[in-house]
Amino acid sequence: MKILASVMENVIKRNPNEPEFHQAVKEVLESIEPVAEKKPEWVAAGIFDRIVEPERQIFFRVPWVDDNGKVHVNRGFRIQFNSAIGPYKGGLRLHPSVNASILKFLGFEQIFKNSLTGLPIGGGKGGSDFDPKGKSDGEVMRFCQSFMTELQRHIGENTDVPAGDIGTGAREIGFMYGQYKRLRNDFTGVLTGKGLTWGGSLARTEATGYGLCYFMDEALKAKGKSFKGTTVVVSGSGNVAIYATEKVHQLGGKVVALSDSNGYIYDPDGIKLDTVKKLKEVERKRISEYVKFHPNAKYTEGCAGIWSIKCDIALPSATQNEIDENSAKTLVANGCYAVGEGANMPSTPEAVDVFLKNKIIYGPAKAANAGGVATSALEMCQNSMRYSWTFEEVDAKLKNIMINIYKAASAAAKEYGDEDNLVMGANIAGFLKVADAMYAHGIAY
Ligand code: NDP
Ligand code: 2IT
């Protein structure tokens, strides 16, 4: 980096001890350096300095009472990162690891991802260090109500529209929506991922996993390959992992492994998704229980070992930095030729280098997992119209969006001289639209 080196230095200085945020910014700045060279007027207008600084960051106290009457205090966050092309849009993560660094990395990524969808949505992210795991429904409800009591001041259907992410699924969105409606007396599309009886969109539940496969299918097709007959490893066993697995099976591949934060299962016969859905979506149990129902399957404690399973295609769909350099090398050595990121930033920078050097068909997160937020934008669209599309209609739009994202990323990679580098292509294609809008708005933010 030459022109943008000082931007990176300032990010590090201004946001000390935020390694995930630095990691996400560095990757984007490295990719868009050639744009800075071509666009001195954007440099002069401070576009690059401004885009790395959130427009607004909201941190707040979230007190709640557990079933034994004990008071707990969590921290709530909403990072309103960029509204140049639409209202802030992005999920809410509920996980004990949540902090400003993680939410700023996620909010920053979301700007470019949302731009790539082609739909009018800005970038944001939020959440809390609250851990829904092991809590009763009543405790989760009281937390969500307390969280929304503050968050509602800052969001709105034309301002900021949160959704789910790790730890925030249909149950949590329901509790939050109920509280928003009660406080504001307003039935509006302020959250996405809503239930189907109260404004949710068909296919939103499936969208991230399905979209990931539509994207990868297109990338594979460009190299004369497909999912048919492939062996696939998917990490995680949450929303993204489950519906990625479902679509891989529909496309003729076989998923042989899934994980959670405790360990992974390997089923050489192919994962039986009905069992996983029952365990994870209904009973909220651990993935280890799977082997009780399928004795041919094996459970291994610790989740990193999943990448040592031989596969053609890997779809990391759990969390950030889950594939390090060694895991990436192991995947490549075992013959893996395609990696599609369902999770946000699941590969460390060193792992990404291994994939690019070895010419792996590599679908970076902000392109490959954009189907979730794209379908959220379709949910907003349906809410505005007070109308709903059929599953088939939403699914067809989703597929089309994912194909277009692949085309936009690969065209930008080609134009900027590094064909097949979808990291660079996705970063540039996502950035151009946002930068153009920011430039048009003057020094507004
Ligand atoms: P869920 O909460 O439904 O599932 C998360 C899964 O990942 C669980 O199996 C969880 O295991 C595992 N996991 C979470 N944290 C860790 C960790 N620190 N180490 C190992 N495993 C972990 O979340 P989603 O499926 O929605 O999200 C998965 C990823 O996809 C995230 O990176 C998210 O940001 C990204 N994403 C999600 C979208 C969506 O629409 N939901 C859209 C685009 C991206 P355990 O149960 O043990 O915690
Ligand atoms: O990371 C993501 O894109 C999401 N968690 C989905 C966000 C959304 O607004 O649907």
Side-chain angles (χ1 to χ4, degrees):
M1 274 193 280
K2 280 191 196 133
I3 304 174
L4 301 182
S6 64
V7 178
M8 189 66 225
E9 276 165 30
N10 284 335
V11 166
I12 294 170
K13 213 185 299 165
R14 184 176 272 161
N15 308 277
N17 309 314
E18 297 191 356
E20 293 87 0
F21 182 46
H22 301 170
Q23 183 182 335
V25 171
K26 186 159 181 275
E27 185 206 275
V28 170
L29 291 180
E30 280 172 354
S31 293
I32 60 178
E33 173 82 20
V35 180
E37 284 167 22
K38 276 196 187 174
K39 290 276 196 183
E41 68 276 26
W42 285 2
V43 177
I47 298 286
F48 300 90
D49 307 284
R50 287 191 277 142
I51 206 164
V52 297
E53 179 71 11
E55 288 174 12
R56 192 175 300 103
Q57 307 186 52
I58 302 145
F59 296 180
F60 51 98
R61 182 202 293 166
V62 189
W64 57 278
V65 183
D66 72 19
D67 290 345
N68 298 317
K70 185 173 181 312
V71 177
H72 295 260
V73 178
N74 284 101
R75 182 172 291 174
F77 300 81
R78 187 70 183 165
I79 310 293
Q80 298 183 330
F81 219 122
N82 195 299
S83 63
I85 65 168
Y88 308 107
K89 181 84 197 86
L92 294 170
R93 179 172 291 192
L94 298 182
H95 193 271
S97 65
V98 160
N99 57 33
S101 175
I102 288 177
L103 293 183
K104 277 154 77 177
F105 116 64
L106 289 163
F108 184 72
E109 291 280 289
Q110 202 81 43
I111 304 169
F112 309 99
K113 181 196 302 195
N114 293 4
S115 166
L116 282 168
T117 66
L119 299 165
I121 38 178
K125 200 85 186 188
S128 174
D129 56 3
F130 173 79
D131 187 358
K133 230 177 283 164
K135 305 286 192 299
S136 69
D137 285 350
E139 288 172 330
V140 171
M141 181 177 76
R142 291 193 291 280
F143 167 82
C144 288
Q145 291 177 339
S146 179
F147 181 78
M148 184 51 87
T149 300
E150 174 61 30
L151 187 68
Q152 57 91 18
R153 302 174 207 282
H154 309 287
I155 62 177
E157 62 172 338
N158 296 312
T159 308
D160 185 354
V161 182
D165 192 75
I166 291 177
T168 306
R171 174 181 62 172
E172 290 73 19
I173 291 291
F175 293 150
M176 289 183 197
Y177 193 75
Q179 184 73 351
Y180 182 89
K181 197 161 62 64
R182 183 178 188 193
L183 291 170
R184 303 284 288 254
N185 196 19
D186 194 16
F187 197 112
T188 182
V190 71
L191 297 176
T192 59
K194 298 187 291 301
L196 297 177
T197 53
W198 40 281
S201 173
L202 285 159
R204 175 62 187 90
T205 304
E206 293 82 357
T208 311
Y210 278 23
L212 169 65
C213 295
Y214 294 146
F215 181 92
M216 289 309 289
D217 201 35
E218 200 61 20
L220 289 164
K221 222 191 287 168
K223 300 290 168 195
K225 296 183 188 312
S226 78
F227 273 103
K228 213 170 173 53
T230 56
T231 298
V232 181
V233 166
V234 179
S235 65
S237 48
N239 174 264
V240 180
I242 288 174
Y243 292 96
T245 300
E246 186 164 286
K247 186 53 75 176
V248 168
H249 288 170
Q250 288 172 14
L251 294 173
K254 181 165 82 171
V255 174
V256 296
L258 286 176
S259 61
D260 59 24
S261 55
N262 293 105
Y264 66 91
I265 49 163
Y266 171 63
D267 187 341
D269 303 331
I271 295 289
K272 310 298 176 296
L273 207 52
D274 286 349
T275 310
V276 178
K277 282 185 180 175
K278 185 164 166 286
L279 287 173
K280 294 306 242 184
E281 292 184 333
V282 184
E283 298 170 358
R284 299 182 187 277
K285 292 209 170 121
R286 308 310 299 159
I287 200 67
S288 56
E289 305 256 329
Y290 179 93
V291 299
K292 286 188 187 160
F293 303 94
H294 304 288
N296 257 353
K298 191 172 161 251
Y299 173 73
T300 307
E301 198 68 34
C303 42
I306 195 170
W307 307 119
S308 64
I309 298 170
K310 191 173 160 51
C311 65
D312 302 302
I313 299 168
L315 303 176
S317 302
T319 195
Q320 64 275 357
N321 291 328
E322 54 172 311
I323 302 186
D324 63 8
E325 184 176 13
N326 279 336
S327 298
K329 283 182 174 162
T330 306
L331 280 167
V332 174
N334 284 337
C336 171
Y337 54 78
V339 176
E341 296 185 332
N344 285 305
M345 205 167 78
S347 311
T348 65
E350 297 76 20
V352 176
D353 281 347
V354 171
F355 297 145
L356 294 179
K357 282 198 185 106
N358 286 280
K359 295 272 165 213
I360 301 300
I361 300 169
Y362 172 60
K366 60 173 78 65
N369 74 30
V373 76
T375 307
S376 278
L378 298 178
E379 182 172 327
M380 290 164 72
C381 193
Q382 293 168 82
N383 292 163
S384 299
M385 294 190 292
R386 303 197 185 286
Y387 186 71
S388 46
W389 292 316
T390 63
F391 187 96
E392 290 70 26
E393 283 172 309
V394 180
D395 190 39
K397 288 181 203 300
L398 167 65
K399 188 170 182 184
N400 201 26
I401 289 166
M402 298 316 294
I403 292 172
N404 285 337
I405 294 175
Y406 173 76
K407 285 185 180 154
S410 70
K414 201 169 178 184
E415 187 188 336
Y416 281 81
D418 197 354
E419 204 172 342
D420 295 338
N421 184 343
L422 296 177
V423 179
M424 186 176 127
N427 286 334
I428 291 177
F431 171 74
L432 289 176
K433 182 175 162 188
V434 177
D436 183 76
M438 286 174 73
Y439 189 67
H441 295 163
I443 317 294
Y445 260 125

